Amino acid sequence: MFKRSLYGSIIITYRCNARCNMCDCYKDPSKPSDEIGLDVIRKLPQMAFTNITGGEPFTRLDISDIVEELYKKTNRIVISTNGSYPERIIELCKKYPNIGIRISIEGLQETNDKIRGLKDGFKNGYETLTRLVEMKHKDVGFGMTVQDMNCKDLLELYKIADDYNMEFATATLHNSFYFRKTDNKIEDKLMVSREFEKLINELLKSKSPKKWFRAYFNHGLINYIYDHPRLLPCGMASNGFFVDPFGNVLPCNGSKEPLSMGNLNNQSFEEIWNSEKAQEVRNKVNNCEKNCWMIGSAAPAMKQKIWKPAAWVIKHKIKGKYSISDSNFIEDV
């Protein structure tokens, strides 16, 4: 039996209506008939946290049934969405008031809609967020993948989230099988990092310890942009996993090719997790040189080695300021 300690990310579809410049998932959609159903969802282990993602998860008309099954197995569920289906989102949140919703907003209106290729994408996402706030939904926020095109909007979006008391998640450009991209790149590392630096200092000034640790996570994003070794070892395939729309159990979504440990359509999770194939994948993870820094792998690592981000937080709270020059990032420009 599994204790509720694992971090699980369930990719329930590769179908997506957005046309994001940093993700070509929409060019290779999964067929509804091939996507995992409730029989596979029921095979998942006990988890501390579950992220439902895609593609666009709300293209699945049975998402409510998926959530119902997952709540039998996990302490917390967060759905990542582009916000294109506001009524479906609102309806689900009314049924499951504890569910987390993270709507991807890539900048203010013009920038967001250009990056996401969605007409009225910002309007739909922002209005859905404010409706959820008005409903007093417990766990609502938005996420931003920071790149050259939108980094100047980073601090303003954070302040919008802060004013509404919403969660604010960040990421930066990655290349992998999941994104169907190999050419994502930060062109002006210094410019993007300076915007992250501003956000980190705002987070450190907060009275919220949770935001202090988010400052550390964002420091890790700058570290990744400059291609430095990860701040913390990656424990994916040990403390976390992904499941793709076809039932494959993967260590992560950051590898060049999917590293399947087994398939839930014909095996139990325990059989897969304890298999020789899973150990081979763990060995590959241990020797991985990609240095990815995404929340799916960073969050469990931060929790497992909490003293390291805690020491960083204490140091910078005492110092009163964070600077990228202190971490020797600028020398790499």
Side-chain angles (χ1 to χ4, degrees), residues 216-277:
Y216 176 83
F217 174 78
N218 281 276
H219 165 64
L221 289 174
I222 301 174
N223 184 73
Y224 168 75
I225 288 171
Y226 281 99
D227 198 30
H228 287 197
R230 278 176 62 106
L231 298 179
L232 298 168
C234 180
M236 296 304 286
S238 296
N239 56 22
F241 65 92
F242 277 69
V243 175
D244 75 9
F246 315 113
N248 293 301
V249 179
L250 313 171
C252 65
N253 64 342
S255 57
K256 183 178 180 181
E257 301 292 339
L259 301 173
S260 178
M261 296 185 278
N263 191 288
L264 287 168
N265 284 298
N266 45 47
Q267 292 174 279
S268 72
F269 189 89
E270 287 191 356
E271 288 172 334
I272 294 170
W273 199 247
N274 296 315
S275 67
E276 289 185 10
K277 182 66 174 176

Short mmCIF file of all heavy atoms in Angstrom, two decimals, residues 216-277:
data_model
loop_
_atom_site.label_atom_id
_atom_site.label_comp_id
_atom_site.label_asym_id
_atom_site.label_seq_id
_atom_site.Cartn_x
_atom_site.Cartn_y
_atom_site.Cartn_z
N TYR A 216 11.90 31.23 -3.46
CA TYR A 216 12.97 30.25 -3.70
C TYR A 216 12.71 29.50 -5.01
O TYR A 216 13.64 29.28 -5.81
CB TYR A 216 13.05 29.27 -2.53
CG TYR A 216 14.05 28.15 -2.73
CD1 TYR A 216 15.39 28.34 -2.44
CD2 TYR A 216 13.64 26.90 -3.20
CE1 TYR A 216 16.31 27.32 -2.62
CE2 TYR A 216 14.55 25.87 -3.38
CZ TYR A 216 15.89 26.09 -3.09
OH TYR A 216 16.80 25.08 -3.27
N PHE A 217 11.47 29.09 -5.25
CA PHE A 217 11.14 28.40 -6.50
C PHE A 217 11.47 29.28 -7.70
O PHE A 217 12.04 28.81 -8.69
CB PHE A 217 9.66 28.01 -6.53
CG PHE A 217 9.24 27.43 -7.86
CD1 PHE A 217 9.56 26.12 -8.19
CD2 PHE A 217 8.57 28.20 -8.79
CE1 PHE A 217 9.21 25.58 -9.42
CE2 PHE A 217 8.21 27.67 -10.02
CZ PHE A 217 8.52 26.36 -10.34
N ASN A 218 11.15 30.57 -7.63
CA ASN A 218 11.44 31.47 -8.73
C ASN A 218 12.94 31.70 -8.89
O ASN A 218 13.44 31.88 -10.01
CB ASN A 218 10.70 32.79 -8.54
CG ASN A 218 9.23 32.69 -8.93
OD1 ASN A 218 8.88 32.80 -10.09
ND2 ASN A 218 8.37 32.44 -7.95
N HIS A 219 13.67 31.71 -7.78
CA HIS A 219 15.13 31.72 -7.86
C HIS A 219 15.62 30.51 -8.65
O HIS A 219 16.55 30.60 -9.46
CB HIS A 219 15.70 31.71 -6.43
CG HIS A 219 17.15 31.37 -6.33
ND1 HIS A 219 18.15 32.15 -6.87
CD2 HIS A 219 17.77 30.30 -5.74
CE1 HIS A 219 19.33 31.59 -6.62
NE2 HIS A 219 19.12 30.48 -5.94
N GLY A 220 14.98 29.37 -8.44
CA GLY A 220 15.32 28.16 -9.19
C GLY A 220 15.05 28.30 -10.68
O GLY A 220 15.75 27.70 -11.49
N LEU A 221 14.03 29.09 -11.04
CA LEU A 221 13.75 29.32 -12.46
C LEU A 221 14.87 30.13 -13.11
O LEU A 221 15.27 29.85 -14.25
CB LEU A 221 12.41 30.03 -12.63
CG LEU A 221 11.17 29.18 -12.34
CD1 LEU A 221 9.91 30.04 -12.41
CD2 LEU A 221 11.05 28.00 -13.31
N ILE A 222 15.38 31.13 -12.40
CA ILE A 222 16.53 31.88 -12.93
C ILE A 222 17.73 30.95 -13.07
O ILE A 222 18.44 30.97 -14.09
CB ILE A 222 16.88 33.07 -12.01
CG1 ILE A 222 15.70 34.03 -11.87
CG2 ILE A 222 18.10 33.82 -12.56
CD1 ILE A 222 15.93 35.14 -10.85
N ASN A 223 17.94 30.14 -12.06
CA ASN A 223 19.02 29.16 -12.09
C ASN A 223 18.91 28.26 -13.31
O ASN A 223 19.91 27.96 -13.99
CB ASN A 223 18.96 28.33 -10.80
CG ASN A 223 20.09 27.36 -10.67
OD1 ASN A 223 21.22 27.73 -10.40
ND2 ASN A 223 19.78 26.07 -10.84
N TYR A 224 17.68 27.85 -13.64
CA TYR A 224 17.45 27.00 -14.82
C TYR A 224 17.72 27.77 -16.12
O TYR A 224 18.32 27.24 -17.05
CB TYR A 224 16.02 26.47 -14.80
CG TYR A 224 15.62 25.84 -16.10
CD1 TYR A 224 16.09 24.58 -16.46
CD2 TYR A 224 14.79 26.51 -17.00
CE1 TYR A 224 15.74 24.00 -17.68
CE2 TYR A 224 14.44 25.94 -18.21
CZ TYR A 224 14.92 24.68 -18.55
OH TYR A 224 14.59 24.12 -19.76
N ILE A 225 17.26 29.02 -16.18
CA ILE A 225 17.47 29.83 -17.38
C ILE A 225 18.95 29.92 -17.73
O ILE A 225 19.35 29.89 -18.90
CB ILE A 225 16.86 31.24 -17.18
CG1 ILE A 225 15.33 31.16 -17.22
CG2 ILE A 225 17.37 32.21 -18.24
CD1 ILE A 225 14.65 32.45 -16.81
N TYR A 226 19.79 30.00 -16.70
CA TYR A 226 21.23 30.08 -16.92
C TYR A 226 21.91 28.70 -17.00
O TYR A 226 23.13 28.60 -17.00
CB TYR A 226 21.88 30.93 -15.83
CG TYR A 226 21.71 32.41 -16.10
CD1 TYR A 226 20.71 33.14 -15.46
CD2 TYR A 226 22.52 33.07 -17.01
CE1 TYR A 226 20.53 34.50 -15.72
CE2 TYR A 226 22.36 34.42 -17.28
CZ TYR A 226 21.36 35.13 -16.63
OH TYR A 226 21.19 36.45 -16.90
N ASP A 227 21.06 27.66 -17.05
CA ASP A 227 21.55 26.30 -17.26
C ASP A 227 22.53 25.85 -16.18
O ASP A 227 23.50 25.14 -16.45
CB ASP A 227 22.20 26.17 -18.64
CG ASP A 227 22.33 24.71 -19.09
OD1 ASP A 227 21.48 23.90 -18.68
OD2 ASP A 227 23.28 24.39 -19.83
N HIS A 228 22.27 26.26 -14.95
CA HIS A 228 23.05 25.77 -13.81
C HIS A 228 22.46 24.46 -13.32
O HIS A 228 21.29 24.17 -13.57
CB HIS A 228 23.04 26.80 -12.68
CG HIS A 228 23.88 28.01 -12.96
ND1 HIS A 228 24.27 28.87 -11.97
CD2 HIS A 228 24.40 28.51 -14.10
CE1 HIS A 228 24.99 29.85 -12.49
NE2 HIS A 228 25.08 29.65 -13.77
N PRO A 229 23.22 23.65 -12.60
CA PRO A 229 22.66 22.42 -12.01
C PRO A 229 21.46 22.75 -11.11
O PRO A 229 21.41 23.82 -10.50
CB PRO A 229 23.83 21.85 -11.21
CG PRO A 229 25.05 22.42 -11.86
CD PRO A 229 24.66 23.79 -12.32
N ARG A 230 20.52 21.83 -11.05
CA ARG A 230 19.34 22.03 -10.21
C ARG A 230 19.72 22.38 -8.78
O ARG A 230 20.71 21.87 -8.25
CB ARG A 230 18.49 20.75 -10.18
CG ARG A 230 17.56 20.56 -11.36
CD ARG A 230 16.86 19.21 -11.25
NE ARG A 230 16.04 19.11 -10.05
CZ ARG A 230 14.71 19.16 -10.04
NH1 ARG A 230 14.05 19.30 -11.17
NH2 ARG A 230 14.05 19.05 -8.91
N LEU A 231 18.89 23.20 -8.16
CA LEU A 231 19.12 23.56 -6.76
C LEU A 231 18.93 22.35 -5.84
O LEU A 231 19.57 22.25 -4.80
CB LEU A 231 18.15 24.66 -6.33
CG LEU A 231 18.25 26.00 -7.08
CD1 LEU A 231 17.21 26.97 -6.55
CD2 LEU A 231 19.65 26.59 -6.95
N LEU A 232 18.04 21.44 -6.25
CA LEU A 232 17.76 20.24 -5.47
C LEU A 232 17.72 19.05 -6.41
O LEU A 232 17.28 19.19 -7.56
CB LEU A 232 16.41 20.37 -4.75
CG LEU A 232 16.28 21.48 -3.72
CD1 LEU A 232 14.82 21.65 -3.32
CD2 LEU A 232 17.14 21.21 -2.50
N PRO A 233 18.13 17.87 -5.97
CA PRO A 233 18.08 16.70 -6.84
C PRO A 233 16.65 16.39 -7.27
O PRO A 233 15.70 16.61 -6.51
CB PRO A 233 18.65 15.57 -5.97
CG PRO A 233 19.39 16.26 -4.87
CD PRO A 233 18.69 17.57 -4.64
N CYS A 234 16.52 15.88 -8.47
CA CYS A 234 15.20 15.48 -8.98
C CYS A 234 14.86 14.09 -8.45
O CYS A 234 15.65 13.15 -8.60
CB CYS A 234 15.20 15.47 -10.51
SG CYS A 234 13.63 14.99 -11.22
N GLY A 235 13.70 13.97 -7.84
CA GLY A 235 13.27 12.68 -7.29
C GLY A 235 12.11 12.06 -8.05
O GLY A 235 11.44 11.16 -7.54
N MET A 236 11.88 12.55 -9.27
CA MET A 236 10.77 12.00 -10.04
C MET A 236 10.99 10.51 -10.32
O MET A 236 12.11 10.05 -10.46
CB MET A 236 10.59 12.76 -11.35
CG MET A 236 10.20 14.22 -11.12
SD MET A 236 8.69 14.44 -10.12
CE MET A 236 7.41 13.96 -11.30
N ALA A 237 9.89 9.78 -10.35
CA ALA A 237 9.85 8.32 -10.41
C ALA A 237 10.09 7.70 -9.04
O ALA A 237 10.04 6.48 -8.89
CB ALA A 237 10.83 7.73 -11.43
N SER A 238 10.33 8.56 -8.04
CA SER A 238 10.43 8.10 -6.66
C SER A 238 9.41 8.83 -5.77
O SER A 238 8.66 8.20 -5.04
CB SER A 238 11.85 8.32 -6.12
OG SER A 238 12.79 7.55 -6.82
N ASN A 239 9.42 10.17 -5.86
CA ASN A 239 8.44 10.93 -5.07
C ASN A 239 7.31 11.50 -5.92
O ASN A 239 6.39 12.13 -5.40
CB ASN A 239 9.12 12.05 -4.28
CG ASN A 239 9.92 13.00 -5.17
OD1 ASN A 239 9.67 13.10 -6.37
ND2 ASN A 239 10.88 13.70 -4.59
N GLY A 240 7.38 11.30 -7.23
CA GLY A 240 6.33 11.82 -8.11
C GLY A 240 6.30 11.08 -9.43
O GLY A 240 7.25 10.38 -9.79
N PHE A 241 5.21 11.23 -10.14
CA PHE A 241 5.05 10.55 -11.43
C PHE A 241 4.03 11.29 -12.28
O PHE A 241 3.27 12.13 -11.80
CB PHE A 241 4.59 9.10 -11.23
CG PHE A 241 3.20 8.99 -10.63
CD1 PHE A 241 2.07 8.90 -11.44
CD2 PHE A 241 3.02 9.00 -9.25
CE1 PHE A 241 0.80 8.82 -10.89
CE2 PHE A 241 1.75 8.93 -8.69
CZ PHE A 241 0.63 8.84 -9.52
N PHE A 242 4.00 10.96 -13.57
CA PHE A 242 3.00 11.42 -14.51
C PHE A 242 2.31 10.20 -15.12
O PHE A 242 2.90 9.13 -15.20
CB PHE A 242 3.64 12.23 -15.65
CG PHE A 242 3.89 13.67 -15.32
CD1 PHE A 242 4.85 14.04 -14.39
CD2 PHE A 242 3.16 14.68 -15.94
CE1 PHE A 242 5.10 15.37 -14.09
CE2 PHE A 242 3.39 16.01 -15.66
CZ PHE A 242 4.36 16.37 -14.73
N VAL A 243 1.08 10.39 -15.53
CA VAL A 243 0.39 9.40 -16.35
C VAL A 243 -0.08 10.12 -17.60
O VAL A 243 -0.69 11.19 -17.52
CB VAL A 243 -0.82 8.78 -15.62
CG1 VAL A 243 -1.58 7.84 -16.54
CG2 VAL A 243 -0.36 8.03 -14.37
N ASP A 244 0.23 9.57 -18.78
CA ASP A 244 -0.18 10.23 -20.02
C ASP A 244 -1.59 9.78 -20.42
O ASP A 244 -2.17 8.89 -19.77
CB ASP A 244 0.86 10.02 -21.12
CG ASP A 244 0.87 8.63 -21.73
OD1 ASP A 244 -0.03 7.81 -21.45
OD2 ASP A 244 1.80 8.35 -22.53
N PRO A 245 -2.17 10.38 -21.45
CA PRO A 245 -3.56 10.04 -21.82
C PRO A 245 -3.76 8.59 -22.24
O PRO A 245 -4.91 8.13 -22.33
CB PRO A 245 -3.85 10.98 -23.00
CG PRO A 245 -2.91 12.11 -22.85
CD PRO A 245 -1.67 11.50 -22.27
N PHE A 246 -2.67 7.87 -22.50
CA PHE A 246 -2.77 6.49 -22.98
C PHE A 246 -2.51 5.47 -21.87
O PHE A 246 -2.46 4.27 -22.13
CB PHE A 246 -1.80 6.29 -24.13
CG PHE A 246 -1.83 7.41 -25.13
CD1 PHE A 246 -0.73 8.25 -25.29
CD2 PHE A 246 -2.96 7.67 -25.88
CE1 PHE A 246 -0.76 9.30 -26.19
CE2 PHE A 246 -3.01 8.73 -26.78
CZ PHE A 246 -1.91 9.55 -26.93
N GLY A 247 -2.29 5.97 -20.63
CA GLY A 247 -2.10 5.07 -19.50
C GLY A 247 -0.66 4.78 -19.14
O GLY A 247 -0.39 4.01 -18.20
N ASN A 248 0.30 5.36 -19.87
CA ASN A 248 1.70 5.14 -19.54
C ASN A 248 2.09 5.88 -18.27
O ASN A 248 1.76 7.07 -18.13
CB ASN A 248 2.59 5.62 -20.69
CG ASN A 248 2.41 4.79 -21.94
OD1 ASN A 248 2.62 3.57 -21.93
ND2 ASN A 248 2.00 5.43 -23.04
N VAL A 249 2.78 5.21 -17.37
CA VAL A 249 3.29 5.84 -16.16
C VAL A 249 4.70 6.34 -16.46
O VAL A 249 5.59 5.56 -16.83
CB VAL A 249 3.32 4.85 -14.98
CG1 VAL A 249 3.88 5.52 -13.73
CG2 VAL A 249 1.91 4.33 -14.70
N LEU A 250 4.90 7.65 -16.32
CA LEU A 250 6.15 8.31 -16.68
C LEU A 250 6.76 8.97 -15.45
O LEU A 250 6.04 9.33 -14.52
CB LEU A 250 5.88 9.39 -17.74
CG LEU A 250 5.01 9.01 -18.94
CD1 LEU A 250 4.69 10.24 -19.77
CD2 LEU A 250 5.70 7.95 -19.79
N PRO A 251 8.06 9.19 -15.44
CA PRO A 251 8.65 9.90 -14.31
C PRO A 251 8.29 11.39 -14.33
O PRO A 251 8.14 12.00 -13.28
CB PRO A 251 10.16 9.71 -14.51
CG PRO A 251 10.32 9.49 -15.99
CD PRO A 251 9.09 8.75 -16.41
N CYS A 252 8.16 11.96 -15.54
CA CYS A 252 7.99 13.40 -15.63
C CYS A 252 7.51 13.77 -17.03
O CYS A 252 7.29 12.89 -17.88
CB CYS A 252 9.31 14.11 -15.34
SG CYS A 252 10.59 13.75 -16.59
N ASN A 253 7.38 15.06 -17.27
CA ASN A 253 7.03 15.54 -18.61
C ASN A 253 8.17 16.37 -19.21
O ASN A 253 7.95 17.13 -20.15
CB ASN A 253 5.74 16.38 -18.56
CG ASN A 253 5.90 17.66 -17.75
OD1 ASN A 253 6.83 17.79 -16.94
ND2 ASN A 253 4.98 18.59 -17.93
N GLY A 254 9.36 16.21 -18.67
CA GLY A 254 10.48 17.04 -19.10
C GLY A 254 11.50 16.35 -19.98
O GLY A 254 12.42 16.99 -20.50
N SER A 255 11.36 15.05 -20.20
CA SER A 255 12.36 14.31 -20.98
C SER A 255 12.17 14.51 -22.48
O SER A 255 11.09 14.90 -22.94
CB SER A 255 12.29 12.82 -20.65
OG SER A 255 10.99 12.31 -20.89
N LYS A 256 13.22 14.24 -23.22
CA LYS A 256 13.16 14.38 -24.67
C LYS A 256 12.14 13.43 -25.27
O LYS A 256 11.37 13.78 -26.16
CB LYS A 256 14.55 14.13 -25.28
CG LYS A 256 14.60 14.34 -26.79
CD LYS A 256 16.02 14.14 -27.31
CE LYS A 256 16.07 14.34 -28.83
NZ LYS A 256 17.44 14.12 -29.36
N GLU A 257 12.16 12.20 -24.81
CA GLU A 257 11.19 11.18 -25.20
C GLU A 257 10.51 10.65 -23.95
O GLU A 257 11.10 10.65 -22.88
CB GLU A 257 11.88 10.02 -25.93
CG GLU A 257 12.64 10.41 -27.19
CD GLU A 257 11.71 10.88 -28.30
OE1 GLU A 257 10.51 10.52 -28.25
OE2 GLU A 257 12.19 11.58 -29.21
N PRO A 258 9.25 10.21 -24.05
CA PRO A 258 8.59 9.67 -22.86
C PRO A 258 9.28 8.41 -22.35
O PRO A 258 9.61 7.52 -23.14
CB PRO A 258 7.16 9.37 -23.35
CG PRO A 258 7.23 9.38 -24.83
CD PRO A 258 8.38 10.23 -25.23
N LEU A 259 9.53 8.38 -21.06
CA LEU A 259 10.20 7.23 -20.43
C LEU A 259 9.15 6.42 -19.67
O LEU A 259 8.90 6.64 -18.49
CB LEU A 259 11.29 7.71 -19.47
CG LEU A 259 12.40 8.57 -20.07
CD1 LEU A 259 13.32 9.11 -18.98
CD2 LEU A 259 13.19 7.80 -21.11
N SER A 260 8.54 5.49 -20.35
CA SER A 260 7.45 4.73 -19.75
C SER A 260 7.98 3.64 -18.81
O SER A 260 8.89 2.89 -19.16
CB SER A 260 6.57 4.10 -20.83
OG SER A 260 5.54 3.33 -20.24
N MET A 261 7.39 3.58 -17.63
CA MET A 261 7.70 2.51 -16.68
C MET A 261 6.75 1.34 -16.82
O MET A 261 6.97 0.27 -16.27
CB MET A 261 7.64 3.06 -15.25
CG MET A 261 8.67 4.11 -14.96
SD MET A 261 8.70 4.65 -13.23
CE MET A 261 7.37 5.85 -13.24
N GLY A 262 5.65 1.55 -17.55
CA GLY A 262 4.64 0.53 -17.75
C GLY A 262 3.32 1.19 -18.06
O GLY A 262 3.19 2.42 -18.02
N ASN A 263 2.32 0.39 -18.40
CA ASN A 263 1.03 0.92 -18.82
C ASN A 263 -0.10 0.40 -17.94
O ASN A 263 -0.22 -0.81 -17.73
CB ASN A 263 0.76 0.56 -20.28
CG ASN A 263 -0.42 1.31 -20.85
OD1 ASN A 263 -1.55 1.04 -20.51
ND2 ASN A 263 -0.15 2.28 -21.72
N LEU A 264 -0.90 1.33 -17.44
CA LEU A 264 -1.96 0.98 -16.51
C LEU A 264 -3.13 0.25 -17.16
O LEU A 264 -4.00 -0.28 -16.46
CB LEU A 264 -2.48 2.26 -15.82
CG LEU A 264 -1.55 2.86 -14.78
CD1 LEU A 264 -2.01 4.26 -14.39
CD2 LEU A 264 -1.46 1.98 -13.54
N ASN A 265 -3.16 0.22 -18.47
CA ASN A 265 -4.23 -0.53 -19.13
C ASN A 265 -4.07 -2.03 -18.95
O ASN A 265 -5.04 -2.78 -19.03
CB ASN A 265 -4.27 -0.18 -20.63
CG ASN A 265 -4.90 1.17 -20.89
OD1 ASN A 265 -6.06 1.38 -20.58
ND2 ASN A 265 -4.12 2.09 -21.45
N ASN A 266 -2.82 -2.47 -18.70
CA ASN A 266 -2.61 -3.92 -18.56
C ASN A 266 -1.80 -4.30 -17.33
O ASN A 266 -1.41 -5.46 -17.19
CB ASN A 266 -1.94 -4.48 -19.82
CG ASN A 266 -0.77 -3.63 -20.30
OD1 ASN A 266 0.07 -3.23 -19.50
ND2 ASN A 266 -0.74 -3.33 -21.59
N GLN A 267 -1.53 -3.33 -16.44
CA GLN A 267 -0.80 -3.62 -15.20
C GLN A 267 -1.38 -2.79 -14.07
O GLN A 267 -1.99 -1.73 -14.30
CB GLN A 267 0.68 -3.27 -15.33
CG GLN A 267 1.48 -4.13 -16.29
CD GLN A 267 2.89 -3.60 -16.45
OE1 GLN A 267 3.12 -2.67 -17.21
NE2 GLN A 267 3.83 -4.19 -15.73
N SER A 268 -1.16 -3.23 -12.85
CA SER A 268 -1.52 -2.42 -11.69
C SER A 268 -0.42 -1.39 -11.45
O SER A 268 0.71 -1.56 -11.93
CB SER A 268 -1.69 -3.28 -10.44
OG SER A 268 -0.42 -3.75 -9.99
N PHE A 269 -0.74 -0.35 -10.71
CA PHE A 269 0.28 0.66 -10.42
C PHE A 269 1.42 0.05 -9.60
O PHE A 269 2.59 0.35 -9.85
CB PHE A 269 -0.33 1.85 -9.67
CG PHE A 269 0.63 3.00 -9.54
CD1 PHE A 269 0.70 3.98 -10.52
CD2 PHE A 269 1.49 3.11 -8.44
CE1 PHE A 269 1.61 5.03 -10.42
CE2 PHE A 269 2.39 4.15 -8.33
CZ PHE A 269 2.45 5.12 -9.32
N GLU A 270 1.09 -0.79 -8.64
CA GLU A 270 2.13 -1.40 -7.80
C GLU A 270 3.07 -2.27 -8.64
O GLU A 270 4.29 -2.26 -8.42
CB GLU A 270 1.48 -2.23 -6.69
CG GLU A 270 0.84 -1.38 -5.59
CD GLU A 270 0.46 -2.21 -4.38
OE1 GLU A 270 0.62 -3.44 -4.42
OE2 GLU A 270 0.00 -1.62 -3.39
N GLU A 271 2.52 -3.02 -9.59
CA GLU A 271 3.38 -3.83 -10.46
C GLU A 271 4.34 -2.94 -11.25
O GLU A 271 5.53 -3.26 -11.39
CB GLU A 271 2.51 -4.64 -11.43
CG GLU A 271 1.77 -5.79 -10.78
CD GLU A 271 0.78 -6.46 -11.72
OE1 GLU A 271 0.30 -5.78 -12.66
OE2 GLU A 271 0.49 -7.65 -11.51
N ILE A 272 3.82 -1.84 -11.76
CA ILE A 272 4.66 -0.92 -12.53
C ILE A 272 5.71 -0.27 -11.65
O ILE A 272 6.91 -0.24 -11.98
CB ILE A 272 3.78 0.16 -13.20
CG1 ILE A 272 2.88 -0.49 -14.26
CG2 ILE A 272 4.64 1.26 -13.82
CD1 ILE A 272 1.81 0.43 -14.81
N TRP A 273 5.28 0.25 -10.51
CA TRP A 273 6.15 1.03 -9.63
C TRP A 273 7.30 0.19 -9.06
O TRP A 273 8.40 0.71 -8.82
CB TRP A 273 5.32 1.61 -8.49
CG TRP A 273 5.93 2.76 -7.77
CD1 TRP A 273 6.37 2.78 -6.46
CD2 TRP A 273 6.16 4.09 -8.26
NE1 TRP A 273 6.84 4.03 -6.13
CE2 TRP A 273 6.72 4.85 -7.22
CE3 TRP A 273 5.93 4.70 -9.49
CZ2 TRP A 273 7.06 6.20 -7.37
CZ3 TRP A 273 6.27 6.05 -9.64
CH2 TRP A 273 6.83 6.77 -8.59
N ASN A 274 7.07 -1.10 -8.89
CA ASN A 274 8.08 -1.98 -8.30
C ASN A 274 8.81 -2.84 -9.34
O ASN A 274 9.53 -3.77 -8.98
CB ASN A 274 7.43 -2.89 -7.26
CG ASN A 274 6.87 -2.10 -6.09
OD1 ASN A 274 7.52 -1.20 -5.56
ND2 ASN A 274 5.64 -2.40 -5.69
N SER A 275 8.64 -2.50 -10.60
CA SER A 275 9.20 -3.32 -11.68
C SER A 275 10.67 -2.97 -11.96
O SER A 275 11.17 -1.91 -11.57
CB SER A 275 8.38 -3.13 -12.95
OG SER A 275 8.53 -1.80 -13.45
N GLU A 276 11.35 -3.86 -12.67
CA GLU A 276 12.72 -3.60 -13.11
C GLU A 276 12.75 -2.41 -14.08
O GLU A 276 13.70 -1.62 -14.06
CB GLU A 276 13.30 -4.84 -13.79
CG GLU A 276 13.59 -5.99 -12.84
CD GLU A 276 14.26 -7.15 -13.54
OE1 GLU A 276 14.68 -6.99 -14.72
OE2 GLU A 276 14.38 -8.23 -12.93
N LYS A 277 11.72 -2.31 -14.90
CA LYS A 277 11.65 -1.19 -15.85
C LYS A 277 11.60 0.14 -15.10
O LYS A 277 12.26 1.11 -15.49
CB LYS A 277 10.41 -1.34 -16.72
CG LYS A 277 10.25 -0.26 -17.79
CD LYS A 277 11.35 -0.32 -18.83
CE LYS A 277 11.11 0.66 -19.95
NZ LYS A 277 12.21 0.68 -20.94
#
